[in-house]
């Protein structure tokens, strides 16, 4: 199990487009239409399955919210930051 990172570690390493909300890191992505968001959520699901680290994904009309935390550790770990970075790199590709 990964160790929970300090507030300073999270702040220093959190991708610029992500926010921290308590024991989670969060980002809302906006899309031109519903199906683009659904396709993005599927891509995130595939990354999550490969990493065996599964976020909370909320799909709304033109937005997809991703929330990451490591429940077993009780907070934000290296795994969460790595997932956020992977999602960002795929989104910008």
């Amino acid at each position: 199990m990964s160790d929970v990172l300090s507030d300073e570690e999270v702040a220093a390493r959190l991708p610029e487009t992500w926010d921290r909300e308590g024991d989670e890191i969060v980002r809302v992505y906006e899309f031109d239409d519903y199906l683009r968001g659904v396709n993005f959520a599927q891509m995130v699901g595939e990354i999550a399955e490969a990493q065996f680290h599964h976020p909370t994904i909320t799909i709304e009309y033109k937005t997809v919210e991703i929330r990451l935390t490591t429940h077993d550790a009780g907070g934000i770990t290296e795994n969460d930051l790595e997932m956020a970075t992977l999602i960002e790199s795929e989104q910008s590709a």
Side-chain angles (χ1 to χ4, degrees):
M1 173 174 34
S2 297
D3 293 330
V4 173
L5 299 174
S6 70
D7 292 342
E8 293 78 19
E9 290 172 308
V10 173
R13 300 189 41 226
L14 188 66
E16 184 177 308
T17 54
W18 287 71
D19 294 311
R20 180 177 186 168
E21 292 182 6
D23 289 338
E24 299 178 314
I25 57 175
V26 181
R27 170 133 190 235
V28 176
Y29 293 86
E30 295 186 23
F31 298 91
D32 294 334
D33 60 54
Y34 177 74
L35 287 180
R36 288 179 197 240
V38 169
N39 290 334
F40 171 74
Q42 179 179 348
M43 183 266 309
V44 170
E46 290 171 6
I47 293 170
E49 190 65 16
Q51 295 296 310
F52 198 68
H53 191 66
H54 303 95
T56 299
I57 303 172
T58 304
I59 303 170
E60 294 188 11
Y61 175 52
K62 291 187 177 182
T63 63
V64 175
E65 179 185 73
I66 308 293
R67 291 184 168 272
L68 293 162
T69 191
T70 303
H71 296 286
D72 292 347
I76 300 166
T77 67
E78 180 69 32
N79 292 341
D80 302 304
L81 295 175
E82 286 178 14
M83 266 296 290
T85 301
L86 284 169
I87 293 167
E88 285 300 299
S89 66
E90 287 297 319
Q91 173 61 16
S92 62

